[in-house]
Structures are given as C-alpha cells and as structure tokens.
C-alpha cells in the first residue's frame, strides 16, 4: 500500500479512536444529562416516562401488536399463557414505501389500518382484540395509551403527525377502514418493547437497547427519582425512554459527522444516532472514501458511482465488505457496484468501514455503561440488556468491539453487563404491555 494511503488510514484511525478515558468523560456527561432530563430541565436526553414497568411474567391473553418505526411494519397476533411457556406468535410483515413515511400522516396511518384489516381477514379474526402499539419515535406519553410524537427521527417526515396523539390517529384510521375488532390499549417505544419482551422471562433485565437503523436505550428507573410524579401511575419503578440517540456531549465527532448532519432532515439533532445508527453508518464511510477519492488517494482519482454520491452507500454494504475475507474484498466491492478496485483500494475502503464500526460500537458501549452505572454504580450485580437491531445482530465485529470497550472500562466486572440479542422483541413486548394493561383494567 502506498505510504500516502497508509498515513491517511493511520490518521483516520486516530481521529476515530475512542478509548476508556474519553469514554469516561462521555459517561460523566451522560449522567449529568440524565439527571437534568429527569428533572425536566433542558437536556439532550428527553428521559420520557413510558407508564410501563417490567412485567411479572404472568401476563396472558390473545393480543394484537403493531410494530412501526423501521424499514418494515409488522402486525402480530401473540398468545401469552403467563406460565413461562414460549408465546405463540403469528405475524405479517409489510414493507413501507416512501409515500408512507414521507408524505402525510393520513396516508401513513391509512396504510397501517389497511394492513391491519388485511391481516385480520387473512387470519380469520372475529371478535374484539386488545392491541399494543410499538411506535419507535420520541413520544410524550401522558398515559399508557396516549402520547404525542415530539419530533420525527430516522428520516421520517410524514406531515401532520408531530404534536399529535398517535393512538388517536391510529384509531381514526381504523375507524375509516371499518376495522371494528381492535381496541388500542397501550403505546410504547421499541426499546421499551424489547426490554419488556426479555424481562418477561428474565428478571435481571433492566434495560432495552436498539442498535439498528436508529439507536436508543431505555432503562428501569425508580419513580421517586423523577422530577414530577406521573399522574395515575402507582408502581415504584417505571421504564424511561431516554431517546439517547439525541445525546450530544463529549462525542468523538469528526468533520464527516458535521457534513452528514448538515445534509440531514434534522440538522443539529440526533448526533449520537448519526454516529452509530445503521441509517447513517454507510454514508459516513462513503464521505471518508469520497474525500480520499477526491484527493487522488483511492481508485486513481476515478469516481466509482456508489462511493461518489450521497446516500448510495449503505451500512449493509459496509457489513458485506467486512464479512468478506480481505483477499476477496475487490470482488465483493465489484458486487456492490464498485468495479475495478485494486487490492489497496479495497483494503482501504474495508478499513474505513472497520474504523467507523469500531467507533460506533464503542459509543454504544459507553451509552450502555452510563445507563448501567446509573442503575448500579459499582456494578454489584449482573444486568441483562435486551438488544435488538441489525447492527448488533449482523455487523461484523460490532459485538466484539462493544465487549472490548466494557473490559477497558470495568475490567473483571465487565461481564456484569450482558447485552443479549432479543430478536423482534418490540412486537412481543407491545403485546405483553397490552396484556398487563388489560389485567389492570379488569382488576
Ligand atoms: C430513533 C427514535 C427512537 C427509537 C430508535 C430506534 O432514535 O427516535 O424512538 O427507539 O430510533 O428505533
């Protein structure tokens, strides 16, 4: 490899490094922002009450769940027995198109209601079913079944939804579609759903985390530590949705982060998410590669399509390239629409990907470390963190980089934080939350 390219890689590696001492100052800032957010003071962490606590594991019923907020929209029927047995889950996945996420709320909720109707017809469901609604965006909840969308994230822009109660919008759409057999009984974020799904079987689970298109963390907090007591809620602990993707202090930011932010739908917001989430990781790698292409360091100055244009390089491409053995990287790049890469070009693009993935995993680990040390400062006991999302599940190296970061921070106590894949947990969690709400309403 030419020395100019080698030097560039070494310097990028330094810029994207994030070691235990820097992580510690980020963790201190995170704690401070958590405190402020809980007290209702201005903070980059929204610390949103969810009106939900961990389940008892005895919740039961025949329940519908909606899962909205990623690439796919899912409708599930979940049968919970409440006796430790695996829930029976049948479900339909529907792909959301641009017109659903980027035009009007009416179109979005209209499409959802149509999918629900189709699903119920296909399953032959008659009668009335309680429904739990996972809505994976920041919602200000005033009760378990009521919450306004604060602001769209992850590039969604459907008009007429911000500031509105999303349960009311869903009910209205269901009514318009003539769907009578559904009662929306609860609303939750995907992090909360994921935590609840795992906690149903595992009482040591006290946090939920998404590492996918977007990223966010929730955890179990004592109600006495909330600035304002949540009205009508009488349990001692509540899950708090931090909206940690919006955290913006002491992060190892690079000029490519600033460039990405400036071109995004929501400049100035979701800084942590823009350094970690799968929606952005590909573009960060592309920005770095394009910079070097422009400086003649890569591809002999040619401008290979997907690496030269905004948003054409995805985190899936980064993942595919990292999964290929190094000597197959040029062929893999060709398969990803970048033909004619020499071994050095391919090795460099691969390494850029690895460096951004390493940084993302370390930031994610720092956020979880801050969360767990808030709950248990000395890590005296074992904690499960329920995690879902494609980065955690599939990105080569991601989990290993996280584990390394925990070791660097906590030494032998690192294994007190156990991130566990809770695949598709948010739909199941929504059903469990709905079942708990039903039981409470009947009692
Ligand atoms: C975004 C949303 C948040 C969600 C996360 C993961 O950060 O704002 O609510 O939990 O994505 O889907």
């Amino acid at each position: 490899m030419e020395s100019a390219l080698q030097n560039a890689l070494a310097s990028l590696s330094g810029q994207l490094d994030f070691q235990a001492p820097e992580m510690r100052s980020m963790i201190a800032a995170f704690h401070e922002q958590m405190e402020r957010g809980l007290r209702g003071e201005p903070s980059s962490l929204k610390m949103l009450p969810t009106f939900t606590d961990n389940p008892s594991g005895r919740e039961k019923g025949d329940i519908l769940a909606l899962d909205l907020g990623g690439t796919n929209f899912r409708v599930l029927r979940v049968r919970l027995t409440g006796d430790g047995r695996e829930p029976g889950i049948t479900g339909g996945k529907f792909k959301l198109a641009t017109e659903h996420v980027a035009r009007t709320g009416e179109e979005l909720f209209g499409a959802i209601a149509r999918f629900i109707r189709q699903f119920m017809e296909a399953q032959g469901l008659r009668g009335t079913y309680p429904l739990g609604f996972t809505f994976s965006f920041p919602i200000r909840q005033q009760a378990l079944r009521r919450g306004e969308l604060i602001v769209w994230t992850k590039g969604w822009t459907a008009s007429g939804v911000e500031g509105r109660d999303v349960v009311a919008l869903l009910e209205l759409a269901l009514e318009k579609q003539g769907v009578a057999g559904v009662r929306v009984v609860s609303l939750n974020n995907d992090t909360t759903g994921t935590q609840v799904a795992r906690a149903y079987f595992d009482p040591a689970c006290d946090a939920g985390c998404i590492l996918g298109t977007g990223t966010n963390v929730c955890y179990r907090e004592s109600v006495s530590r909330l600035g304002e007591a949540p009205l009508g809620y009488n349990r001692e602990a509540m899950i708090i949705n931090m909206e940690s993707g919006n955290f913006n202090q002491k992060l190892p930011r690079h000029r490519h982060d600033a460039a990405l932010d400036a071109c995004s739908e929501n400049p100035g917001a979701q800084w942590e998410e823009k350094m970690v989430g799968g929606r952005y990781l590909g573009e960060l790698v592309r920005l770095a590669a394009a910079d070097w292409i422009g400086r003649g360091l890569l591809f002999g100055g040619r401008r290979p399509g997907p690496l030269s244009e905004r948003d054409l390089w995805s985190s899936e491409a980064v993942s595919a390239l990292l999964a290929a053995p190094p000597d197959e990287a040029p062929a893999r790049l060709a398969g990803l629409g970048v033909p004619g890469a020499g071994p050095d070009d391919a090795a460099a693009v691969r390494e850029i990907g690895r460096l951004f993935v390493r940084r993302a995993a370390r930031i994610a680990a720092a956020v979880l470390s801050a969360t767990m040390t808030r709950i248990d400062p000395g890590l005296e006991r074992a904690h499960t963190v329920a995690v879902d999302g494609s980065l955690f599940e599939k990105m080569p190296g991601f989990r290993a980089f996280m584990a390394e970061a925990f070791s660097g921070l906590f030494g032998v106590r690192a294994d007190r934080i156990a991130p566990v894949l809770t695949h598709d947990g948010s739909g199941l969690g929504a059903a469990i939350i709905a079942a708990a709400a039903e039981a409470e309403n009947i009692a």
Side-chain angles (χ1 to χ4, degrees):
M1 192 179 277
E2 273 189 38
S3 65
L5 189 53
Q6 256 169 11
N7 291 343
L9 276 172
S11 125
L12 187 69
S13 175
Q15 289 158 1
L16 299 181
D17 205 1
F18 191 44
Q19 294 281 348
E22 293 91 57
M23 283 187 212
R24 287 204 177 89
S25 40
M26 182 187 132
I27 290 169
F30 200 95
H31 284 158
E32 187 251 351
Q33 295 281 294
M34 285 175 95
E35 276 297 337
R36 279 167 171 269
L38 286 173
R39 287 199 299 263
E41 293 167 12
S43 168
S44 65
L45 294 174
K46 296 189 176 69
M47 308 302 284
L48 302 166
T50 63
F51 292 79
T52 302
D53 191 9
N54 272 1
S56 64
R58 292 186 300 276
E59 292 75 7
K60 55 185 177 189
D62 190 357
I63 318 252
L64 295 180
L66 296 191
D67 196 349
L68 177 72
T71 343
N72 292 309
F73 161 67
R74 295 186 311 146
V75 187
L76 304 175
R77 178 185 185 189
V78 181
R79 270 168 282 197
L80 300 167
T81 52
D83 56 5
R85 274 185 288 161
E86 279 292 316
I89 304 181
T90 39
K93 224 180 208 181
F94 305 92
K95 191 132 192 85
L96 285 168
T98 319
E99 71 256 32
H100 299 135
V101 305
R103 294 217 300 235
T104 67
E106 216 176 320
E107 281 172 272
L108 172 64
F109 283 92
I112 295 167
R114 265 197 312 282
F115 290 142
I116 296 175
R117 199 188 58 209
Q118 282 165 17
F119 176 79
M120 293 185 74
E121 282 167 7
Q123 298 270 324
L125 298 183
R126 293 189 192 87
T128 305
Y129 292 82
L131 178 142
F133 182 13
T134 294
F135 185 72
S136 311
F137 298 96
I139 30 184
R140 185 156 328 275
Q141 280 183 260
Q142 298 87 10
L144 184 59
R145 61 177 306 281
R146 216 170 51 237
E148 290 158 11
L149 170 64
I150 301 172
V151 64
W152 283 123
T153 52
K154 298 179 283 197
W156 288 44
T157 52
S159 62
V161 188
E162 287 178 347
R164 306 276 301 277
D165 174 12
V166 293
V167 172
L169 292 176
L170 175 63
E171 285 174 334
L172 192 68
L174 288 169
E175 203 181 300
K176 279 194 191 158
Q177 285 296 321
V179 184
V182 167
R183 262 180 315 115
V184 187
V185 299
S186 58
L187 172 67
N188 62 271
N189 184 253
D190 52 353
T191 50
T192 312
T194 303
Q195 172 173 339
V196 166
R198 173 78 201 186
Y200 192 62
F201 302 103
D202 173 4
C205 176
D206 42 22
C209 170
I210 302 292
L211 286 162
T213 309
T215 182
N216 186 14
V217 176
C218 70
Y219 74 107
R220 196 160 182 247
E221 180 61 279
S222 148
V223 169
S224 64
R225 292 172 83 172
L226 307 187
E228 215 176 285
L231 276 182
Y233 185 81
N234 47 27
R235 301 185 56 175
E236 279 173 17
M238 185 189 272
I239 297 173
I240 298 294
N241 166 17
M242 292 197 277
E243 286 294 321
S244 56
N246 194 50
F247 181 70
N248 61 10
Q249 321 258 309
K250 305 269 182 193
L251 291 165
R253 267 168 62 90
H254 188 277
R255 67 190 159 84
H256 297 317
D257 296 297
L260 180 143
D261 180 47
C263 291
S264 67
E265 293 86 0
N266 50 356
Q270 302 293 108
W271 277 11
E272 192 263 354
E273 179 160 271
K274 286 170 184 166
M275 302 172 85
V276 175
R279 180 166 196 273
Y280 307 99
L281 214 45
E283 177 62 4
L284 286 174
V285 172
R286 191 203 68 80
L287 281 166
D291 181 25
W292 292 2
I293 292 168
R295 282 159 47 194
L297 290 170
L298 283 177
F299 297 97
R302 275 186 305 115
R303 302 185 64 79
L307 285 173
S308 315
E309 271 169 61
R310 212 181 124 207
D311 286 338
L312 284 188
W313 196 245
S314 64
S315 66
E316 286 78 12
V318 176
S319 180
L321 191 56
L322 287 177
D327 57 335
E328 286 171 26
R332 186 61 60 98
L333 262 182
L336 293 165
V338 182
D344 288 356
D345 298 327
V349 177
R350 196 170 186 279
E351 179 63 6
I352 295 173
R354 198 187 70 86
L355 294 175
F356 276 103
V357 168
R358 183 183 73 181
R359 187 186 68 161
R362 288 180 178 174
I363 295 172
V367 169
L368 285 181
S369 300
T371 310
M372 300 335 282
T373 52
R374 156 88 192 184
I375 301 175
D376 174 8
L379 292 184
E380 308 292 340
R381 44 179 215 282
H383 302 269
T384 308
V385 183
V387 190
D388 199 7
S390 48
L391 283 180
F392 186 75
E393 193 181 352
K394 296 184 190 144
M395 182 62 84
F398 202 92
R399 287 194 220 190
F401 284 132
M402 280 181 84
E404 206 177 84
F406 289 135
S407 292
L409 287 167
F410 304 116
V412 290
R413 293 200 172 198
D415 63 359
R416 298 274 165 91
I417 304 178
V420 175
L421 180 67
T422 308
H423 190 63
D424 283 349
S426 55
L428 170 60
I432 297 168
I433 294 169
E438 282 289 272
E440 214 159 280
N441 289 341
I442 294 163

